[in-house]
Amino acid sequence: MADKYYAVRKGRHPGVYTSWDACSAEVNGFSGAEYKSFRTRTEAAAFVRGDEDPTLLPEDDSLAEAWVDGSFNPATAVFGWGAYICCGGETFELSGSDWEPEMASMRNVAGEITASEETIRWAIARGIRTVVIYHDYEGIAKWCTGEWKTNKEGTIRYKAFYESVKDRLNIQFVKVKGHSGNAGNDRADRLAKIAAGVEEPAGHKEDEKPKADE
């Protein structure tokens, strides 16, 4: 785990970063930037959300923070999804793939949606009260909040799923910039790519082959 976490509340892409270089790229030259470093990821995430006293948030299994991402393999029309979760001092990795035509037509986004849904299911099954979902595709939050219209079957189902569970779990969304040095986002991205078959697991002799994902 990182020694220090950098929280950007107002910047180009608000979120939690694990290096000063990644954080500074989001705030340098940004008018009215708000950022701060913390010793724990929980405190940093609370600052991003605007909690008045982040130190009051529990460092236990009532709160989970999850980074979600999706990938698509154009050679097989398979989409992959990945979620990297921190909860109660432990980390968890979820991933999977599918090729259902309606979802696969959305390519990477299908994986993003599935990762969010599976994370929510995971949190409910564990009796977690609050889950913070970090995502790099803004539709993951905006389809749920109604800011974006749900025109495709996959987004309609996603919105309906969210509506069916929002009273059972406090779900918070935080937009982060993809491929920006955010360790959680990068891990979720790799899990999704491996699941989609566009990257090999670590240690595989073809692990460094060119990526097919877009």
Side-chain angles (χ1 to χ4, degrees):
M1 298 181 68
D3 293 329
K4 187 179 290 188
Y5 296 90
Y6 300 88
V8 177
R9 182 155 61 193
K10 290 186 180 180
R12 293 179 179 84
H13 299 91
V16 177
Y17 297 86
T18 55
S19 73
W20 167 243
D21 287 344
C23 174
S24 62
E26 302 301 325
V27 300
N28 286 346
F30 187 92
S31 179
E34 293 183 15
Y35 58 98
K36 189 177 180 181
S37 65
F38 294 91
R39 301 299 297 180
T40 70
R41 190 185 295 277
T42 297
E43 292 174 309
F47 179 80
V48 172
R49 295 193 300 272
D51 292 344
E52 292 184 4
D53 189 353
T55 61
L56 296 179
L57 282 177
E59 287 277 357
D60 59 22
D61 57 8
S62 69
L63 168 70
E65 295 178 285
W67 289 257
V68 300
D69 214 339
S71 183
F72 182 73
N73 188 333
T76 61
V78 168
F79 65 87
W81 61 271
Y84 179 75
I85 305 172
C86 295
C87 180
E90 298 183 73
T91 59
F92 306 85
E93 295 182 350
L94 310 178
S95 64
S97 62
D98 204 340
W99 53 87
E100 193 271 316
E102 284 292 337
M103 291 296 290
S105 67
M106 293 188 291
R107 300 169 69 85
N108 290 39
V109 177
E112 304 255 5
I113 288 173
T114 305
S116 179
E117 290 180 345
E118 291 300 325
T119 295
I120 291 169
R121 290 189 179 97
W122 179 92
I124 291 174
R126 292 180 65 92
I128 289 169
R129 295 196 297 269
T130 298
V131 62
V132 183
I133 297 178
Y134 297 91
H135 56 96
D136 58 22
Y137 185 76
E138 56 186 322
I140 294 305
K142 291 185 175 181
W143 280 315
C144 293
T145 61
E147 295 175 76
W148 282 13
K149 293 183 178 179
T150 54
N151 297 319
K152 294 184 177 181
E153 183 176 337
T155 58
I156 292 171
R157 290 194 309 225
Y158 177 50
K159 169 69 169 174
F161 170 75
Y162 172 78
E163 291 294 329
S164 73
V165 300
K166 67 179 184 179
D167 293 332
R168 301 168 58 190
L169 176 69
N170 178 18
I171 305 169
Q172 302 180 18
F173 295 100
V174 177
K175 174 74 168 63
V176 297
K177 182 180 179 181
H179 311 291
S180 61
N182 185 302
N185 180 256
D186 288 347
R187 184 57 191 164
D189 175 65
R190 178 155 171 76
L191 288 169
K193 283 181 165 63
I194 292 172
V198 297
E199 282 193 12
E200 298 290 346
H204 192 282
K205 65 180 180 181
E206 296 180 359
D207 194 44
E208 300 302 322
K209 69 180 182 181
K211 301 177 180 63
D213 190 33
E214 299 181 356

